[in-house]
Amino acid sequence: MTVVAGRPSIPPARYADRLRRAGEVAGESGFDALLVGVGPDLRYLTGYVAVPLERLTMLVLAPGRRPAIVVPRLERSAAEAGVRGDVDIDTWEETDDPYAVVARHVPPAARRIAVSDRLWSSHLLRLQATLSGARFEPASTVLSVLRMRKDPDEIELLRIAAHAADRVVGQIAAGRLVGRTEAEVAREVRDRLIAEGHDEATFAIVASGPNSASPHHEASERVIEAGEPVVLDIGGTVGGYSSDITRTLWVTGGKPEGGPDAEFSRLYAVLHDAQSEATAAARPGVATERVDAVARGIIDAGGFGPHFIHRTGHGIGLDGHEEPYLVAGSRETLEARMAFSIEPGIYLEGRYGARIEDIVVADESGPDVLNQASRDLLVVDG
Ligand code: ZN
Ligand code: ZN
Ligand code: ZN
């Protein structure tokens, strides 16, 4: 890990290696070229962060050739400053056909082309028309192989992000909640994520009372009351890498009778057990669907099976949700240095719900849990 302008980031030397490996894996997979548009794949391979636009920016990797990035003329200086690794920069003028410029970097008889998953269809359709002899396939088959297994710098950035998110959970739990709206608390979460070192606050779920039974609830104008749970699911990015933590609080309003009822306490005990057992199961060599089955088995046995309505987890890195997915039917097996969430939840519709989420890295010596905030039900005055 290196620090640029006070921000932690990936050392520039890493990109040459990623480009080389992507070219190798593409070649081994039988692709004649890999076409990568603006987005996390481009950032992964070159460090270049750009906004997806109608004007085409595209990295072309063809096995055995030098990597080239095709950019609009007006973005040449941005690309020169942003692109790491050994990449030729080729520009197109406003009156040029950028797809023809891309085609010049693709081997003439290319038959199979891998294209980044996030590329706009407006670009893909033009590329398909220009390179009409080739079959287009998703580049995730090549790039997720690389991106799933994190290098030590990536793990360090994920850890810095996780610890920053941990601190924000602690600050929110220690502050006032009763009488404020979910939206007010969500704004505070976003400000605190930035104050604790995130480049960007990506999301802030604040789900109180009956809203806690909705896993992806948007913070609303509902006023938080004493004697109910609040689910906080928050995250942002550090050096491009995501944090994502969920903790469940119970706000008493300072009243002795304001604590959790017996049903919620039982629900939370089952959930806590499911989350910690699933985490313990997350080791290299274990099928991703097995980790899901561990959490689901415990929640089933506790009688809440029908109320656990989503997968157990998702990979995390430059994307907030990426491969591997911890879900029944997934064909992936955990490998060392894969990073993912473990986030079972139990939701009793119309009443309340709870979720516990950590980011975990599979390690030969056992699961490396990046989040350190307590997983107990946080009973606070609020
Ligand atoms: Zn989610
Ligand atoms: Zn989350
Ligand atoms: Zn998550």
Side-chain angles (χ1 to χ4, degrees):
M1 220 211 40
T2 175
V3 176
V4 177
R7 320 293 300 178
S9 61
I10 298 291
R14 191 75 70 186
Y15 295 103
D17 193 47
R18 292 180 181 178
L19 283 164
R20 184 183 51 73
R21 289 180 57 219
E24 279 168 15
V25 177
E28 286 159 13
S29 311
F31 288 109
D32 300 301
L34 192 61
L35 304 182
V36 180
V38 171
D41 286 332
L42 184 64
R43 183 171 192 169
Y44 178 79
L45 292 171
T46 68
Y48 186 37
V49 184
V51 182
L53 291 173
E54 77 290 358
R55 288 190 179 99
L56 184 72
T57 289
M58 177 154 277
L59 174 73
V60 185
L61 271 182
R65 296 185 171 213
R66 277 177 58 78
I69 188 165
V70 173
V71 300
R73 176 75 187 83
L74 76 169
E75 293 191 37
R76 179 169 190 109
S77 55
E80 280 170 349
V83 175
R84 315 276 174 228
D86 197 13
V87 181
D88 292 334
I89 298 177
D90 193 1
T91 54
W92 57 276
E93 303 290 335
E94 292 282 60
T95 53
D96 288 342
D97 173 1
Y99 308 96
V101 178
V102 167
R104 287 207 291 271
H105 294 276
V106 173
R111 308 234 333 252
R112 283 182 70 209
I113 292 177
V115 63
S116 55
D117 292 27
R118 301 279 194 88
L119 190 68
W120 288 3
S121 57
S122 53
H123 295 313
L124 175 61
L125 291 167
R126 296 287 304 275
L127 285 167
Q128 287 181 311
T130 304
L131 295 158
S132 56
R135 192 170 84 209
F136 284 72
E137 295 172 50
S140 49
T141 55
V142 172
L143 295 177
S144 70
V145 175
L146 306 184
R147 285 181 51 187
M148 269 194 292
R149 295 189 63 165
K150 270 60 185 180
D151 65 35
D153 298 303
E154 294 181 285
I155 292 171
E156 195 49 30
L157 287 170
L158 287 167
R159 197 184 306 277
I160 291 169
H163 290 177
D166 287 345
R167 292 193 293 275
V168 175
V169 167
Q171 291 159 5
I172 295 294
R176 204 166 68 78
L177 293 162
V178 174
R180 298 173 72 200
T181 66
E182 294 173 347
E184 279 170 45
V185 176
R187 278 192 291 276
E188 183 185 341
V189 165
R190 288 175 182 274
D191 290 345
R192 289 188 181 277
L193 285 169
I194 301 292
E196 289 296 340
H198 285 81
D199 307 324
E200 210 178 324
T202 324
F203 60 95
I205 294 175
V206 178
S208 64
N211 292 339
S212 60
S214 169
H216 275 175
H217 173 70
E218 282 287 330
S220 74
E221 292 305 318
R222 183 180 186 278
V223 174
I224 297 168
E225 293 170 24
E228 63 181 27
V230 178
V231 172
L232 293 177
D233 184 351
I234 66 172
T237 58
V238 173
Y241 287 79
S242 298
S243 62
D244 186 0
I245 182 175
T246 308
R247 290 295 184 265
T248 301
L249 325 180
W250 185 284
V251 291
T252 65
K255 297 180 207 127
E257 71 280 11
D261 59 54
E263 175 78 337
F264 195 86
S265 298
R266 198 175 77 78
L267 175 161
Y268 198 86
V270 170
L271 178 65
H272 188 284
D273 193 25
Q275 204 269 347
S276 62
E277 291 300 315
T279 302
R283 289 170 171 271
V286 173
T288 49
E289 64 175 358
R290 173 71 197 141
V291 179
D292 181 83
V294 168
R296 214 161 290 280
I298 290 167
I299 291 174
D300 271 340
F304 294 107
H307 305 286
F308 176 21
I309 53 176
H310 54 71
R311 65 190 175 212
T312 293
H314 54 82
I316 191 165
L318 286 171
D319 273 305
H321 290 181
E322 59 182 46
E323 293 196 64
Y325 294 101
L326 279 55
V327 62
S330 160
R331 292 281 152 263
E332 210 66 62
T333 297
L334 291 181
E335 292 175 40
R337 307 201 316 269
M338 283 184 178
F340 43 86
S341 71
I342 303 230
E343 52 175 308
I346 299 175
Y347 312 96
L348 307 185
E349 214 178 315
R351 290 180 68 193
Y352 45 44
R355 181 165 64 259
I356 306 171
E357 173 177 26
D358 286 318
I359 301 306
V360 177
V361 176
D363 190 278
E364 299 294 355
S365 64
D368 179 5
V369 183
L370 303 189
N371 295 100
Q372 296 181 327
S374 167
R375 282 158 213 97
D376 292 342
L377 178 64
L378 303 167
V379 179
V380 295
D381 287 355

